[in-house]
Amino acid sequence: MLLCCLGVLLLMQGPTLQFSLADNSLVATPDNEASAIPYFETVLDPNDKLHLYWTVDYDEQTVTFELRARVPDHDWIGIGFSDRGEITNADLCILWTDKKRKNRFQDAYTDETGFVSVDDHDDCHLLSMKRRGFISRFAWSRKFDTCDKQDYYIEDGTTHVVYAVGRGPIRRLDGINLSKERHGFQRVQLLKNVIPNPPFPEDTKTLTIHNNKVAVPNVETTYWCTLHRLPPNFEDKNHVIQYSSAIQEGSEGLVHHMEVFHCEVDAHKKLPFWNGPCTSPEKPKILEACKRVLAAWAMGALPFTYPEEAGLPIGGPSFSRYVMLEVHYNNPELKAGVIDSSGITLTYTPSLREHDAGVMELGLEYTNKMAIPPRQPDFALTGYCVAECTRVGFPAEGIVIFGSQLHTHLTGIKVYTKHIRGSEELPELNRDNHYSTHFQEIRRLKRKVRVYPGDSLLTTCHYCTSDRENITLGGFAISDEMCVNYVHYYPKMDLEVCKSSIDTKVLKSYFRYMKQYNDEETSGSKEVDENYKSIHWSQANADFLHHLYSNAPLSMQCNQSSGDRFPGFWYGTPKTEILYPLPLPKRRCPNIMCSSKNDNDEDADDNDVE
Ligand SMILES: *[C@@H]1O[C@H](CO)[C@@H](O)[C@H](O)[C@H]1NC(C)=O
Ligand SMILES: *[C@@H]1O[C@H](CO)[C@@H](O)[C@H](O)[C@H]1NC(C)=O
Ligand SMILES: *[C@@H]1O[C@H](CO)[C@@H](O)[C@H](O)[C@H]1NC(C)=O
C-alpha cells in the first residue's frame, strides 16, 4: 500500500522519505528496501509554487500524485492533463474551497475554450489533504485508463501536466473559464522506468560540465553554448555509465534542456573557445563539428543509467577531448539578472564494462526530398531501416537496444518505431503519442529489445503544420523537419545510420507528372526544394503526396561510422511490408468493449472487468 496514516510513502535514491501531512515536513526514515517505492518529482511553474511528486504502480495501472502548493489556502488548484499542454480540452482534478470553507476535490474537464464542467464520473481519488496558511498538500490517485471519455488516457512517453489556480472560496466549479485564469503546464514522462540501477564500480568518478555564471538573457528562449575540454585522464578510454543534470539551485524552472556534444575533430586539433549563444554569427564555424550527442537531459528527466553490461566509450588516444555544452533556457516571464551555472554530470569509470555502447540513427535521411505540405493537422512520414541493411550491418547475434531518443523539429507531434521480423510485426521499440521537440529525453526502454540481422525498424513521425502557409522541407534548420530515433544499444558496431528517403527517380517523375497533368510550375531543371515550393498545396495535392510516399520505393542510407555506405545497391529499395500487424493493445474497459461489440458476442467474457 502506498498510504500510511500520515501520507504517501516516498523514496529518493536511498533513504525512504515520508511525507508528513500533519506537520508539513519531510522525514527521512531508515532505508528499507521492502517498502521502498521509487518516487519522482517535478516543478510545474517557473516559481516552483506548485511542486508535483508521483509514484507509478504498474500492477494496479495507477499513478499516485502528491502536490505541494504555495498558494493562499482558499484558492482553488486544478491539476491534470491535456494532449499538448493547452488548458482547453483538459482533464483535471480540482481542489477548491466552498463558501462554507469546506474543501472539495472534484474530477472536471474543460471544453475547447477552457470552460470547466464537472465530470459525470469521479476518477480523482483523494487520499489525503492538508491546507494551512499558504501551504496546501494533497495526494490523489488516478488510473492510467479510467475508460471515461471525459478523461485523459495516461500513456507511455510524454505527458503534458497542466495546472490552473484562482482565487477562492467559490460557490461551484462549473462555469469557471480556465483560459482566463493563471495556468500553465509541464512536460514529464509520467510512466517512468522503475527498474533499479546497477551498482557502480569503486573507481567511479564524476565530472560536471557546467556553465560558468552565465547571465541568462531576459528573452523567452536562449540556447547557450560553451566549449569545454575534458581533463587529461580522458587520454585513456573510460566508460560513461550514467549522466544526470546538475541544476543550480534556483534555476529549476529555467533550465529547459541540456546536451553535451562531442566535437568530431582530430584528437590533436585545437579548437577556439566559445561561451555565448549557440546561434550567434560570431560562433566559430569549426564548432559545428561539435554535434555528436554524448548526453542529453530535459526538464523532469531522471539520471540516464547504462545497463550493467555496457558503457558509453569516451576518451582514448584518437578521441578529441573537446565537448560542447548546450543549455536551453526557457524564460517566459522574462526574468532579468539571473546568473546560472547549471550543467550535466557524467559518471564514468576506467574499469571498462563488457560492451561498448553505441548510438545508431533510424528514421528519415536529413534531406529535402521529404516534405510536409502546409495546413496539415496530422501528416505522417516514415523512415525505413530495411532488412537488407541490418543484414550487412548487424553482428550475427544481433544488438540489444536499451535506450531511445526521438527527435523532430518544431512540427513533430507523435513518433514511434515499429520492429518487423519477416513480415510479422513485433512489439514496438518506442512510442510517444504526445511527443514534443521541447522534451527530448534519452529514455531507458522498459524492456531491452534484441534486433537481429534481417529485422527491419520503421520510424514514423506525425507532423502538424496547421499554422504554416508554405511547405516544410526536410533539413537541418529548426524550421525544417527531421524524423529520427537515436537508439542506444550494444555491442557497438560499424553501422551508424540506417535511414531512408523516397527514391530520387520516383520523386523526379512525380515532379514531371505534376507539371504535365496538374499544371504546376515544376520542372526537370529545378532543384528539389524549388519544385516542392512550386506546387500549389491544395488538400488533394497533399493527399496525393502522402499516397506517393506511402507507395514509392526507397533510397537507403546504410552508412558506416566512417560516413561511407556499406557495399550494396541502395536505390529503388522496396518498402518493408507488414503482413501480420501487431494486435491493438487491449483496454480494460467494460463499457468501451460492449459499445463496440454485438451483445451476443461470444468473446464478451473476455472482458477484463476489475
Ligand atoms: C473562455 O475564455 C476565452 C479566452 O478569454 C474565450 O475566448 C472563450 O470564449 C471563453 N469561453 C466561454 C464559454 O465563455
Ligand atoms: C511563403 O512563401 C512565399 C513565397 O516564397 C514567401 O513570400 C513567404 O514569405 C513565405 N511565408 C513564410 C511564412 O515563410
Ligand atoms: C552516407 O553515405 C553516403 C555515401 O558515402 C554519403 O553521401 C552520405 O552523406 C552519408 N550520410 C551520412 C548521414 O553519413
Side-chain angles (χ1 to χ4, degrees), residues 236-286:
D236 297 318
K237 178 172 160 184
N238 286 273
H239 268 161
V240 172
I241 55 179
Q242 182 183 70
Y243 47 81
S244 53
S245 64
I247 309 275
Q248 178 189 301
E249 212 180 311
S251 294
E252 289 84 359
L254 202 62
V255 178
H256 191 271
H257 80 247
M258 302 184 283
E259 288 187 76
V260 176
F261 297 97
H262 181 234
C263 303
E264 301 281 282
V265 294
D266 190 87
H268 303 291
K269 189 160 185 72
K270 267 213 158 332
L271 292 182
F273 182 68
W274 181 252
N275 179 20
C278 302
T279 50
S280 164
E282 278 139 53
K283 191 176 102 180
K285 280 277 165 292
I286 178 121

Side-chain angles (χ1 to χ4, degrees), residues 88 111-116 175-181:
T88 53
D111 69 3
E112 64 288 348
T113 74
F115 206 72
V116 175
I176 298 179
N177 188 342
L178 295 190
S179 302
K180 296 191 163 111
E181 306 284 347

Side-chain angles (χ1 to χ4, degrees), residues 424-494:
E424 185 185 353
E425 185 183 353
L426 304 178
E428 289 177 351
L429 199 66
N430 196 7
R431 170 181 283 269
D432 195 338
N433 282 342
H434 305 274
Y435 174 84
S436 164
T437 188
H438 303 294
F439 193 44
Q440 302 190 21
E441 286 184 290
I442 301 180
R443 292 180 183 146
R444 265 294 273 287
L445 299 179
K446 287 178 187 163
R447 63 181 184 101
K448 295 179 202 167
V449 182
R450 191 173 281 273
V451 186
Y452 287 103
D455 287 2
S456 321
L457 296 165
L458 276 51
T459 302
T460 301
C461 297
H462 290 245
Y463 303 93
C464 171
T465 58
S466 296
D467 60 358
R468 295 205 174 180
E469 52 174 294
N470 293 334
I471 186 140
T472 301
L473 300 175
F476 289 95
I478 189 70
S479 52
D480 296 334
E481 266 308 340
M482 288 189 174
C483 177
V484 192
N485 185 352
Y486 298 97
V487 293
H488 294 243
Y489 72 92
Y490 65 81
K492 194 171 155 89
M493 57 181 176
D494 224 11

